[in-house]
Amino acid sequence: MNAPIDVVRPVPDVNPGVLLARRLLPPELRAWVDRLDGELRQVCGYQLGLYDEDGRPTGQVIGKLLRPAFTLLCSAAAGGRPEDAVPAAAAIELLHNASLIHDDIMDGDTERRHRPTVWARYGTSLAILAGDALIALGFEALADRHDARTAHSVAVLARSLRLLAGGQDLDLRFESESTVTVHECLAMMAGKTGVLLGCACRLGAARSPAPPDWAVRLEGFGVHLGVAFQLVDDVLGIWGDPAVTGKPVGADLRARKKSAPVAAALAAGGTGPARIADLYSGREPLTDQDVTLLTELIEEAGGRAWTLAEADRQVSAAWDLIDDLDLDGSARAGLGALTASLMNRDH
Amino acid sequence: MNAPIDVVRPVPDVNPGVLLARRLLPPELRAWVDRLDGELRQVCGYQLGLYDEDGRPTGQVIGKLLRPAFTLLCSAAAGGRPEDAVPAAAAIELLHNASLIHDDIMDGDTERRHRPTVWARYGTSLAILAGDALIALGFEALADRHDARTAHSVAVLARSLRLLAGGQDLDLRFESESTVTVHECLAMMAGKTGVLLGCACRLGAARSPAPPDWAVRLEGFGVHLGVAFQLVDDVLGIWGDPAVTGKPVGADLRARKKSAPVAAALAAGGTGPARIADLYSGREPLTDQDVTLLTELIEEAGGRAWTLAEADRQVSAAWDLIDDLDLDGSARAGLGALTASLMNRDH
């Protein structure tokens, strides 16, 4: 399973988009979650960090608000007022958290953000229901304005939610497949991480005075960045310093995760990759020696280099898409800083 | 758990709304489900009956299309063209099926419409994901037109999905509570069945030339009818002829379901209801004698009479809400016939 990008990746506090999101989003998210009755309000609020495990309000949210930061920056970049993009930013964050709750059930993950996951804390039934409620709130937040632009944004958000389900479906299928191609890896990453980040960027620009094709190009920008971030995650999952990432050494390899570096190494062919395939096809737990060997074999076969190069290609493709747009300079700088901090990270 | 209303209740083939729904909906539903990729398309199509268990197209849908029938009739009743209400009707049916898939997981139900439920056939993970995908498709179907009316309809649909989750949450909580009041019963029914039927009626009228308050009143109409249908279901769940309902004798009582007749009987107080409470609080399986005794005690305490009278009150309240509207006569007759067939039924 691929860890969603905002879990393992702190963002510098100084980024203007993140600062804006931290100021504008929490009251909005709180207002929507408080539309739910008793138990569901508590469970959804717990996921967002609005309520602690004992149901007490915390006065904050727990996520990094990375997607809303992109929404607000893209709004400003396209000449809009970030305040006008707050409903879209809230919708994206609510849907993102809905998908986290449901994914955690499917993946059997019991911990997220250093707390029990929703299903681990409240049971599977309430977790399914809380995810559904957050999806409902997301569309409610976005459709709070009744105009033609909103209807179009809803269509984009709904399509993104459909493609997100497709990405998670691919990820689930990887578990039962013996090998996965780099093409399949990239398709899964595009669905599972790229689509919603792309939607976040597009909806940010959707209410701006800029021409409509700006929003479409910013969507492509977000999709490519989402894939790039996921590729960097895969590299850190194998070569990251456990003291910094907070994950045990070789966790991805021990779980025989079909990550991009593994797929790229297998594609190289030869005796090294054959040994990788052999170790991955086994059923018994991998030893520390196996993990060390795998790490070396994947690097030797070019898995690490390919993945980092592909991440760079995705970032270039992202910026190429919006290169000739006359974006607001300050917002463009904010997007650049956010991109850089997410690519050059050690956790 | 309360069986959703369209599972146990065939509708006469002659109703014009049902006939219209059967003609207009299947191609629309098929087109949306076919937007999904491979596995998810198969699973969602299976739920709707578009594909059989082996993945072969059936050329039809399996549901009764009761909610879409109300949408199309309300469209016509408010002077609109039913064809214009097809996206809304499809959205309602897609969300309804999403909630069935997710409810079946929560309730542990393994059979629906004489076939394995989605989670029983494809596993819990794919069932969660298929429900999410159908929610996405529902909003996508509704938001296929990009105008202000659509944005408003999306807000109504999203609010309904939120309230639907609240209704299911109440239903889940009933399981762990020793007794339930009739007020709580009605609130749960309103959330679990009324809200979506109300939404079906409202969205049908939303694109009509009629004044906006017609849509709001038709929503109230649908909510009351939904509650009425559920009340009749509860009566059939205890006193229905097993040969006709297809459910074993006393299934609801054996499951110690806190249905409306039981809640009404308990509210009467006295020795009979005390004995009911006693049998309901036990943990050991109820014997055939227990079930017969419960059936008698609930009837003697007025549980059956109260529930049927309340169903009548709900139907009256429904029609009172739209009584002075100058609805299209033929569509009004269709709504009347549909109401009557759903109230005067034996299964």
Side-chain angles (χ1 to χ4, degrees):
Chain A
M1 298 291 108
N2 286 276
I5 61 175
D6 74 349
V7 176
V8 295
R9 180 178 306 115
V11 167
D13 283 353
V14 292
N15 187 277
V18 173
L19 289 175
L20 206 52
R22 288 198 188 143
R23 179 162 64 80
L24 297 176
L25 266 287
E28 181 84 2
L29 295 170
R30 174 76 184 272
W32 285 108
V33 167
D34 281 353
R35 290 213 181 182
L36 299 169
D37 284 327
E39 194 168 38
L40 275 177
R41 177 170 54 209
Q42 165 59 28
V43 178
C44 290
Y46 171 76
Q47 165 68 24
L48 290 165
L50 292 164
Y51 296 102
D52 69 15
E53 278 190 70
D54 302 314
R56 288 180 301 241
T58 61
Q60 57 179 23
V61 295
I62 205 172
K64 301 290 182 295
L65 299 180
L66 189 64
R67 289 161 189 77
F70 272 97
T71 303
L72 300 176
L73 284 173
C74 285
S75 166
R81 290 174 0 109
E83 286 77 6
D84 288 339
V86 167
I92 294 281
E93 187 66 14
L94 290 164
L95 256 65
H96 170 56
N97 277 282
S99 84
L100 294 182
I101 294 176
H102 282 179
D103 285 3
D104 283 340
I105 305 172
M106 298 179 217
D107 301 347
D109 288 338
T110 56
E111 195 170 309
R112 171 178 294 283
R113 298 163 176 168
H114 309 294
R115 303 185 309 164
T117 51
V118 168
W119 75 265
R121 173 70 182 79
Y122 296 98
T124 301
S125 291
L126 263 178
I128 293 173
L129 212 47
D132 293 351
L134 286 177
I135 294 174
L137 288 178
F139 283 100
E140 229 178 331
L142 185 61
D144 206 25
R145 292 196 193 92
H146 305 152
D147 55 26
R149 283 193 182 199
T150 295
H152 191 249
S153 289
V154 168
V156 171
L157 186 68
R159 190 202 57 182
S160 301
L161 182 62
R162 159 165 63 86
L163 296 173
L164 189 62
Q168 172 69 2
D169 182 38
L170 272 184
D171 201 5
L172 289 175
R173 272 150 65 179
F174 283 6
E175 283 184 70
S176 55
E177 278 167 28
S178 56
T179 61
V180 161
T181 67
V182 291
H183 177 75
E184 289 169 321
C185 254
L186 292 173
M188 184 276 287
M189 290 172 172
K192 214 174 149 169
T193 311
V195 161
L196 202 60
L197 192 59
C199 186
C201 293
R202 177 166 179 172
L203 295 192
R207 301 193 76 84
S208 76
D213 79 295
W214 286 38
V216 176
R217 291 215 256 165
L218 282 165
E219 178 173 29
F221 169 80
V223 171
H224 282 300
L225 284 190
V227 173
F229 301 160
Q230 199 66 63
L231 287 164
V232 172
D233 250 14
D234 277 6
V235 170
L236 291 173
I238 298 177
W239 294 278
D241 179 354
V244 184
T245 62
K247 294 164 95 177
V249 185
D252 280 3
L253 295 176
R254 270 180 226 281
R256 293 188 168 92
K257 179 178 157 184
K258 282 120 192 163
S259 65
V262 176
L266 290 174
T271 54
R275 183 83 186 101
I276 298 171
D278 187 45
L279 285 163
Y280 254 61
S281 64
R283 298 217 161 264
E284 64 289 0
L286 294 167
T287 65
D288 289 351
Q289 279 176 311
D290 290 336
V291 169
T292 305
L293 176 61
L294 269 173
T295 307
E296 289 167 4
L297 289 172
I298 295 166
E299 177 135 22
E300 281 167 22
R304 178 183 192 167
W306 182 88
T307 306
L308 289 173
E310 180 61 28
D312 283 341
R313 279 192 293 273
Q314 294 283 344
V315 170
S316 295
W319 286 93
D320 282 351
L321 271 175
I322 58 168
D323 198 40
D324 62 335
L325 299 185
D326 184 26
L327 300 178
D328 171 85
S330 157
R332 176 191 281 266
L335 287 171
L338 203 45
T339 306
S341 68
L342 294 172
M343 295 302 294
N344 304 312
R345 61 198 161 87
D346 52 10
H347 61 297
Chain B
M1 296 292 109
N2 287 275
I5 60 176
D6 74 349
V7 175
V8 295
R9 181 177 305 117
V11 168
D13 282 354
V14 292
N15 187 278
V18 173
L19 289 176
L20 206 51
R22 287 198 189 144
R23 180 163 64 80
L24 297 176
L25 265 288
E28 181 83 3
L29 294 170
R30 173 75 184 271
W32 285 108
V33 167
D34 281 354
R35 290 212 183 184
L36 299 169
D37 284 328
E39 195 169 35
L40 275 177
R41 177 169 54 209
Q42 165 59 27
V43 178
C44 290
Y46 171 76
Q47 165 68 24
L48 290 164
L50 292 164
Y51 296 102
D52 69 16
E53 278 190 71
D54 302 315
R56 289 180 300 239
T58 62
Q60 57 179 27
V61 295
I62 205 172
K64 301 291 183 294
L65 300 180
L66 189 64
R67 290 161 189 78
F70 271 99
T71 302
L72 300 176
L73 284 173
C74 285
S75 168
R81 290 173 359 112
E83 286 76 6
D84 288 338
V86 167
I92 294 282
E93 186 66 12
L94 291 164
L95 256 65
H96 170 56
N97 276 282
S99 83
L100 294 182
I101 294 177
H102 283 180
D103 285 2
D104 283 340
I105 305 172
M106 298 179 217
D107 302 346
D109 288 338
T110 57
E111 197 171 306
R112 172 179 295 283
R113 299 162 177 170
H114 309 293
R115 303 185 311 163
T117 51
V118 169
W119 75 265
R121 173 69 182 80
Y122 295 98
T124 300
S125 290
L126 263 178
I128 293 174
L129 212 48
D132 293 351
L134 286 178
I135 294 174
L137 289 178
F139 282 101
E140 229 178 331
L142 185 60
D144 206 25
R145 292 196 193 94
H146 305 150
D147 55 25
R149 284 194 179 197
T150 294
H152 190 249
S153 289
V154 168
V156 171
L157 186 68
R159 189 202 57 182
S160 300
L161 182 61
R162 160 166 61 87
L163 296 174
L164 188 62
Q168 172 70 0
D169 182 38
L170 271 184
D171 201 5
L172 290 174
R173 272 150 65 179
F174 284 5
E175 282 185 70
S176 55
E177 278 166 28
S178 56
T179 61
V180 163
T181 67
V182 290
H183 176 77
E184 290 169 322
C185 254
L186 292 174
M188 184 277 286
M189 290 171 171
K192 214 173 149 168
T193 311
V195 161
L196 202 60
L197 191 59
C199 186
C201 293
R202 177 166 179 171
L203 295 192
R207 300 192 76 84
S208 77
D213 79 295
W214 285 37
V216 176
R217 291 216 254 163
L218 282 165
E219 178 173 30
F221 168 80
V223 171
H224 282 300
L225 283 190
V227 174
F229 301 160
Q230 199 66 62
L231 287 164
V232 172
D233 250 14
D234 277 5
V235 169
L236 291 174
I238 299 177
W239 293 278
D241 179 353
V244 184
T245 63
K247 294 165 98 177
V249 186
D252 280 3
L253 295 176
R254 270 180 226 282
R256 293 188 167 92
K257 180 179 157 183
K258 283 119 193 166
S259 65
V262 176
L266 290 174
T271 53
R275 184 82 187 100
I276 297 172
D278 188 44
L279 286 163
Y280 254 62
S281 65
R283 298 217 161 263
E284 64 288 0
L286 293 168
T287 64
D288 287 352
Q289 277 174 313
D290 290 336
V291 170
T292 305
L293 176 60
L294 270 173
T295 307
E296 288 167 6
L297 289 171
I298 295 165
E299 179 137 20
E300 281 167 21
R304 178 183 192 167
W306 182 88
T307 305
L308 288 173
E310 181 60 28
D312 283 342
R313 279 192 293 273
Q314 295 283 343
V315 171
S316 294
W319 285 93
D320 282 350
L321 270 175
I322 58 167
D323 199 40
D324 62 335
L325 299 184
D326 184 27
L327 301 178
D328 171 85
S330 155
R332 177 192 280 268
L335 287 171
L338 203 45
T339 306
S341 69
L342 295 173
M343 295 302 294
N344 304 313
R345 61 198 162 86
D346 52 10
H347 61 299

